[in-house]
Amino acid sequence: MARTRKVTVSTDAHGHTAGWAATELAANLAPPPDRNAAAFFDVDNTMMQGASIYWFARGLAARKYFTTGDLARFAWQQLRFRLLTTEHAGDMSHAKQAALAFVEGWRVEDMERLSEEIFDELMAPRIWAGTRALAQLHLDAGQRVWLVSAAPVEIGRVIATRLGLTGAIGTVAEVQDGAYTGRLVGDLMHGPAKADAVRQLAAVEQLDLARCVAYSDSSNDLPMLSVVGRAVAINPDNALRQTARMRGWEVRDFRTGLKAARIAVPSTVAAGLLAGAVTAGLAVRRRRQNR
């Protein structure tokens, strides 16, 4: 069943733009008893194994939206960037320009339908049970729980809905007449942008950030982790683990053995790389259809 796209876009006094979407479940519930506290969870490698945008790409490949060769090249680039542990300015610029180019012309309802199908098939089995349990503790305490991801906010909202969470903060794609233009509204939801978005949401929802908690696996999320009263490192990369030790933050690692070495690329680089692969694949698909 198609939904009406309800994404709230906010711009603060410094011109920073953020977008978030509440789940239908949250919209129909009474206000939580603890209105001033919330938890913010990164998604990739924190709430689930790997990058959500990668699993979305896997689902598209299975549906012949692009080739398995495109997917293999994307996976190799993921590994290469992870081993180099770099997110240089040039990479980020490319990611911002291309992050949502692959959905240009898509209907919003189709994006949401595919996101739901692919979550059930590929993402649900990769949710970290330990992280999910932490989120549930906040819900049981009457607090709101938000996902914060560089992935499109529609994908984040699907994940939040499936997990029974409050909503998602994510990258916002421009929409005209029910279809994506391929352009972003504001910035890619990454690094400092996550902290800005959390501040904006806190202002709107009247949250006391000193009573809020943030969870992440990546040192790229230090701005978000630093803006709340309590930070927790989940499956942390080396840089975040070191920072957590220095600052006395709690560390939770749900990985074992080889799993700890299979950390996916940061979602921002993944978005840029995926866009190139998917865009090429869709172009090939269109050419075949036009023959």
Side-chain angles (χ1 to χ4, degrees):
M1 180 180 297
R3 298 180 186 81
T4 300
R5 183 180 191 256
K6 295 181 180 179
V7 177
T8 300
V9 178
S10 174
T11 303
D12 66 12
H14 303 288
H16 300 137
T17 301
W20 54 85
T23 63
E24 292 180 0
L25 175 64
N28 293 327
L29 291 178
D34 191 351
R35 290 188 56 84
N36 301 119
F40 299 94
F41 285 81
D42 172 54
V43 175
D44 299 343
N45 300 307
T46 302
M47 184 58 74
M48 72 165 59
Q49 293 175 299
S52 56
I53 197 72
Y54 173 75
W55 295 118
F56 185 67
R58 281 281 298 269
L60 293 180
R63 289 161 174 78
K64 310 301 181 184
Y65 279 90
F66 63 105
T67 69
T68 53
D70 293 326
L71 184 65
R73 284 189 291 276
F74 170 56
W76 163 246
Q77 288 172 313
Q78 272 197 312
L79 177 61
R80 181 171 67 86
F81 274 93
R82 184 63 191 188
L83 292 176
L84 292 174
T85 62
T86 58
E87 283 190 273
H88 298 307
D91 299 328
M92 291 302 301
S93 177
H94 172 71
K96 181 175 180 179
Q97 291 174 9
L100 296 178
F102 75 95
V103 297
E104 180 179 357
W106 285 28
R107 304 292 301 176
V108 173
E109 58 196 50
D110 292 334
M111 177 74 160
E112 293 189 334
R113 174 182 54 80
L114 286 167
S115 297
E116 290 173 347
E117 293 176 2
I118 293 170
F119 175 85
D120 294 339
E121 294 170 9
L122 298 176
M123 298 183 196
R126 293 173 172 84
I127 297 295
W128 292 109
T131 308
R132 178 67 186 87
L134 290 172
Q136 189 61 49
L137 288 176
H138 288 282
L139 293 173
D140 292 343
Q143 299 174 359
R144 284 162 283 188
V145 177
W146 292 84
L147 298 179
V148 188
S149 175
V153 68
E154 285 81 9
I155 294 178
R157 178 169 54 186
V158 166
I159 298 173
T161 297
R162 288 297 202 257
L163 297 180
L165 308 181
T166 307
I169 298 172
T171 299
V172 179
E174 183 182 70
V175 173
Q176 291 182 358
D177 300 324
Y180 296 106
T181 66
R183 296 185 294 270
L184 298 184
V185 176
D187 293 325
L188 200 64
M189 192 55 59
H190 168 76
K194 286 188 176 183
D196 292 336
V198 167
R199 290 190 190 95
Q200 290 179 51
L201 181 62
V204 172
E205 297 292 324
Q206 298 182 330
L207 298 173
D208 180 358
L209 285 175
R211 297 190 59 235
C212 293
V213 188
Y215 300 81
S216 178
D217 74 295
S218 174
S219 59
N220 293 319
D221 286 338
L222 283 173
M224 179 180 74
L225 293 169
S226 301
V227 81
V228 296
R230 183 162 72 93
V232 181
I234 302 289
N235 307 326
D237 59 26
N238 290 334
L240 179 57
R241 187 181 294 275
Q242 292 176 4
T243 300
R245 287 173 178 169
M246 288 189 297
R247 299 189 184 184
W249 291 346
E250 182 180 353
V251 176
R252 299 286 188 102
D253 201 326
F254 302 119
R255 302 164 300 179
T256 58
L258 291 177
K259 287 182 180 179
R262 297 173 186 164
I263 306 173
V265 71
S267 57
T268 50
V269 173
L273 295 174
L274 173 62
V278 176
T279 302
L282 290 176
V284 171
R285 184 170 183 255
R286 291 192 188 102
R287 285 197 297 270
R288 289 173 179 170
Q289 290 177 335
N290 292 333
R291 288 178 179 175

